[in-house]
Amino acid sequence: MHFQHVLRTAPGKASQHHVKEFMSKEPLRVGQRRDKHSEQRDKNSAKGEPASGGRLRQAPPLSTSRDSRDKAGGGQAPLPGGARCLVTAASASCTPRIPSGRRLGAEPLSPVRLRPRGPRGAAASSSSSSSGRQQLREAGTGRGSFQRSRRQVLIRDIFRKSKHDWHYTDLFGQPSYCCVCAQHILQGAFCNCCGLRVSEGCLKKADQHFLCKEIMMRSDGRTRSSMPHHWIRGNVPLCSYCVVCKQQCGTQPKLCDYRCVWCQCTVHDDCMLDCLKIEECTFGEFKDLIIPPYYLSTVNQLRKDKRTDYEKIVPYGRKHWIPVIVLANTRSGNNMGEILLGEFKILLNPVQVFDLSKTTPAKALQLCTLLPCNAVRVLVCGGDGTVGWVLDAIDEMKIKGQERFIPQVAILPLGTGNDLSNTLGWGAGYAGEVPVEQILRNVMEADGIKLDRWKVQVTNKGYYNLRKPKVFTMNNYFSIGPDALMALNFHAHREKTPSLFSSRIINKAVYFFYGTKDCLVQECKDLNKKVELELDGERIELPNLEGIIVLNIGYWGGGCRLWEGMGDEPYPLARHDDGLLEVVGVHGSFHCAQIQVKLANPVRLGQAHTVRLILKSSKMPMQVDGEPWAQGPCTVTITHKTHALMLYHSGEQTDDDASSVSEQEHVREQTDEDV
């Protein structure tokens, strides 16, 4: 008998009585114990007798037709095997439908949910549910990725149109609060110029309500020589103190206290007076380095009047104003340039800070022409190659007739070798251990010196050679042999996978690998049979060598003083401003490693004003200041080119420097005694 046909059977009086009794009483919950009347009714059901009395346990609701749902009371109909089913109007509306083909047995109905039996039904159910979950998951992932991409597009659009220099971060380095809603935030956007920090949702409001640092004041027809403070509330630097009460600021866990974006002074909320809001800003500790906005607005007005006497507009009435220009290469060495750009923009005028990946040194240095003559200092954040790039741009200024605007150059070493930086006292490498404020103090206190720059001309051999000779500018050293081979292999590897070379340690490890490889292969052996060397026109007899190095500075190979070497031999110090080149030879890669750890000395070949090297046969690796190439038969001529104005910092003197200075003083004393 079909199950729906059984449900259409007319209900009896006894069943109507039990339905009314069931509807009037609270049904039992799953797991609740039944009384003795329920047990007696089950026994009577098994015998086919009508049930009487007792409290019923609620059976699982079963599906029914629309006709039976329309009937008033429900009913009880006999099922095959004597089982009975209760169907009520209340339960019929939410009953699950039993799949067709299901056979009901004589056993009492279980309170658990009915499921199709059999392995095929189970597999179909599990596969359908898993596929459904997968579809929901894919749909959710698709919606999430779409929302994320749309959000990123909106954020980039705000960043592009904003006057702030917004950058997004997933985690702030210190407790931060949104400048708009004052809520604590872990991630969001911050401005590299004024220091604003906002949540992602408040980004648009912050862009509308807060002004960033003005690189140039708006012209109102009058000449200004001062400007008021520019206050920003909240997120003051750690360990900052109020200029009024001298107590520490930023101690409360909320958006509190004020900071001036120019002079960096901080004030408590309670100490902020009306007089401070209109008080003139003094530009703080680095006022001698900052280019004030009102200076640039005055210069702009003078240029409109076709006047160039910028010396008369020295700000603050100070005579010792030495504005600094920061040039940072974000791709150098340990990739710290991006962080330094933001820190310098906070302390200085953003117009003074340039990213060399976006602006060339030649364009950036044109700012020097708007500043007083012989007063500008340039801080180059990068490796020796970046310094050479900037010095080439300065030489172009000389060609254009801008000698009086030539700046002095300081170095913040971010590269791998940093030999020029080490020679000038700025250290062998920077990894964030010195605060940016201390770096600016060092730039102010540094002394000016000269650096020899040399012209390297490479002329290829051949009867029909119509190519122009290659011309390089050398600041550090020229070499042919194993160290040039290591640089060439390193350069080729970095060109293939530049993402791997993001750390100074990794770079040196790759150099070590190729140096060890050359110790076994010895690709540059018998160099003395392939080249001829002339110093100031005099030919030098070469011993058995694998490499020749021509030095302009004291350091080589990442911090080794090659010319002085070790031992008691009194050799004069290699200087970078005496117009002389030091020429040494090495026996191989292993010999280079011994020299660097002070276990051996190089083969000193002599000093000269002009060096000429002739490569007679085969192809050999060469390099100039870390830029390598493979060269065939040629003639290399090195002559003096010009001087560069550099800044020397005596505070970063190493043990080797101190020992070299003491040795030089000892030699001078002996010379004086002999005289």
Side-chain angles (χ1 to χ4, degrees), residues 282-343:
T282 61
F283 292 92
E285 179 184 0
F286 304 111
K287 58 186 177 183
D288 289 338
L289 301 178
I290 297 175
I291 302 177
Y294 59 79
Y295 174 85
L296 294 177
S297 61
T298 307
V299 168
N300 190 32
Q301 187 63 35
L302 290 177
R303 294 184 68 184
K304 291 180 180 179
D305 299 338
K306 297 182 179 180
R307 296 171 55 189
T308 57
D309 49 345
Y310 305 140
E311 294 84 355
K312 298 180 181 179
I313 334 169
V314 178
Y316 334 110
R318 296 177 61 89
K319 296 182 179 179
H320 302 288
W321 183 43
I322 46 172
V324 65
I325 298 176
V326 179
L327 307 178
N329 189 353
T330 56
R331 300 175 182 175
S332 290
N334 53 2
N335 294 331
M336 285 201 62
E338 192 73 29
I339 300 174
L340 291 170
L341 281 174
E343 295 183 354

Side-chain angles (χ1 to χ4, degrees), residues 17 116 145 190 198 252 316 494 575 604:
H17 170 73
S145 60
F190 65 95
V198 295
Q252 301 181 25
Y316 334 110
R494 184 169 59 178
R575 297 183 58 85
R604 299 178 180 88

Side-chain angles (χ1 to χ4, degrees), residues 130-340:
S130 61
S131 61
R133 286 194 299 269
Q134 184 177 359
Q135 292 176 359
L136 289 175
R137 191 182 302 111
E138 292 176 355
T141 305
R143 287 195 298 269
S145 60
F146 174 75
Q147 292 175 357
R148 284 193 299 270
S149 61
R150 184 183 179 189
R151 183 187 66 184
Q152 292 173 358
V153 170
L154 293 175
I155 291 176
R156 283 198 299 265
D157 187 60
I158 294 175
F159 284 6
R160 181 174 54 86
K161 296 180 180 179
S162 175
K163 293 183 179 180
H164 290 272
D165 187 14
W166 293 117
H167 289 264
Y168 191 82
T169 180
D170 292 328
L171 182 64
F172 287 107
Q174 66 182 60
S176 302
Y177 300 88
C178 177
C179 292
V180 178
C181 63
Q183 297 296 320
H184 180 261
I185 53 176
L186 295 177
Q187 61 183 9
F190 65 95
C191 179
N192 259 346
C193 297
C194 63
L196 271 180
R197 299 187 182 187
V198 295
S199 61
E200 184 179 325
C202 300
L203 185 59
K204 196 170 184 179
K205 292 183 180 179
D207 197 47
Q208 296 172 352
H209 293 86
F210 294 98
L211 294 176
C212 193
K213 271 186 173 181
E214 291 182 329
I215 62 175
M216 184 174 65
M217 293 186 67
R218 299 176 182 177
S219 177
D220 54 359
R222 55 178 181 172
T223 303
R224 294 189 179 185
S225 59
S226 63
M227 58 182 292
H229 289 287
H230 183 171
W231 297 106
I232 293 292
R233 187 164 186 261
N235 303 311
V236 299
L238 300 176
C239 300
S240 56
Y241 293 89
C242 177
V243 296
V244 178
C245 66
K246 310 301 180 184
Q247 298 297 319
Q248 187 173 355
C249 292
T251 56
Q252 301 181 25
K254 64 178 183 179
L255 188 73
C256 62
D257 303 337
Y258 290 87
R259 175 183 61 88
C260 177
V261 299
W262 289 105
C263 64
Q264 308 302 324
C265 65
T266 54
V267 182
H268 287 123
D269 290 334
D270 299 335
C271 299
M272 175 59 73
L273 305 175
D274 293 336
C275 61
L276 289 176
K277 295 181 180 179
I278 60 174
E279 184 183 36
E280 293 183 0
C281 182
T282 61
F283 292 92
E285 179 184 0
F286 304 111
K287 58 186 177 183
D288 289 338
L289 301 178
I290 297 175
I291 302 177
Y294 59 79
Y295 174 85
L296 294 177
S297 61
T298 307
V299 168
N300 190 32
Q301 187 63 35
L302 290 177
R303 294 184 68 184
K304 291 180 180 179
D305 299 338
K306 297 182 179 180
R307 296 171 55 189
T308 57
D309 49 345
Y310 305 140
E311 294 84 355
K312 298 180 181 179
I313 334 169
V314 178
Y316 334 110
R318 296 177 61 89
K319 296 182 179 179
H320 302 288
W321 183 43
I322 46 172
V324 65
I325 298 176
V326 179
L327 307 178
N329 189 353
T330 56
R331 300 175 182 175
S332 290
N334 53 2
N335 294 331
M336 285 201 62
E338 192 73 29
I339 300 174
L340 291 170

Side-chain angles (χ1 to χ4, degrees), residues 620-640:
M620 295 293 292
M622 297 183 181
Q623 70 155 343
V624 174
D625 291 350
E627 298 297 328
W629 75 97
Q631 180 63 49
C634 66
T635 300
V636 180
T637 306
I638 305 176
T639 56
H640 191 270

